[in-house]
Amino acid sequence: MIKTWILHSFLAAVTFSIGDLSCKLLLNQKDVELTTVLAITAIFLGIIGTVYFIKKTTKDKTFSFLKVFKNKKTFLYLLGFVGFLSLGEYYYHNAILHSDNPSFVTAMSSLSIVFIYLLTIALYNFTFNTKTLLGIVLTIIGIYIITMYSENKKY
């Protein structure tokens, strides 16, 4: 049986790939600005979030989802998540706008695995070994090869 996180990771990869290509096609259209696209996206997500909260409130009537505002540490984590996610989305889609090929942006952004792993070592006391180091080095080399030596680049 496939583990849930593996299935969801694969589905996320497929979904984000389609989203990235859709974003590039959209941003290549005349009179389409990145900030407008991101703002409209936020509005749609806000509508989805509002519908979710209305349904959840109607169902449990306890407003349990508001607990996130009671704990200061949890609320600060939430603010950090929203802030970094928003900033990351801006940089990511700005890179897609200016790149010849969205796959280059995706390759570069996959470096996040290195940053996340190194932070995980510090925050969660994971161990670091030579095989992990080899994986990180191979990831960086692979990304370099993909972005520097791919054909059909316009620059």
Side-chain angles (χ1 to χ4, degrees), residues 16 20 34 38-39 41-42 45-46 76-94 109 112 116:
F16 282 127
D20 290 345
L34 173 63
L38 292 176
T41 302
L45 290 173
L76 289 175
Y77 283 149
L78 177 63
L79 283 180
F81 169 71
V82 170
F84 282 111
L85 182 66
S86 300
L87 194 58
E89 286 292 320
Y90 173 77
Y91 288 138
Y92 183 80
H93 290 96
N94 200 21
S109 68
S112 66
I116 291 170

Side-chain angles (χ1 to χ4, degrees), residues 30-89:
K30 201 174 192 179
D31 299 324
V32 176
E33 294 180 10
L34 173 63
T35 51
T36 302
V37 170
L38 292 176
I40 292 169
T41 302
I43 290 168
F44 281 129
L45 290 173
I47 292 168
I48 292 169
T50 302
V51 169
Y52 168 79
F53 280 134
I54 290 169
K55 287 184 88 167
K56 188 160 181 69
T57 302
T58 305
K59 195 173 190 177
D60 75 13
K61 299 190 187 319
T62 62
F63 298 99
S64 61
F65 63 88
L66 293 176
K67 286 187 226 176
V68 72
F69 296 106
K70 291 182 180 178
N71 183 320
K72 184 178 179 181
K73 185 177 180 181
T74 304
F75 182 68
L76 289 175
Y77 283 149
L78 177 63
L79 283 180
F81 169 71
V82 170
F84 282 111
L85 182 66
S86 300
L87 194 58
E89 286 292 320

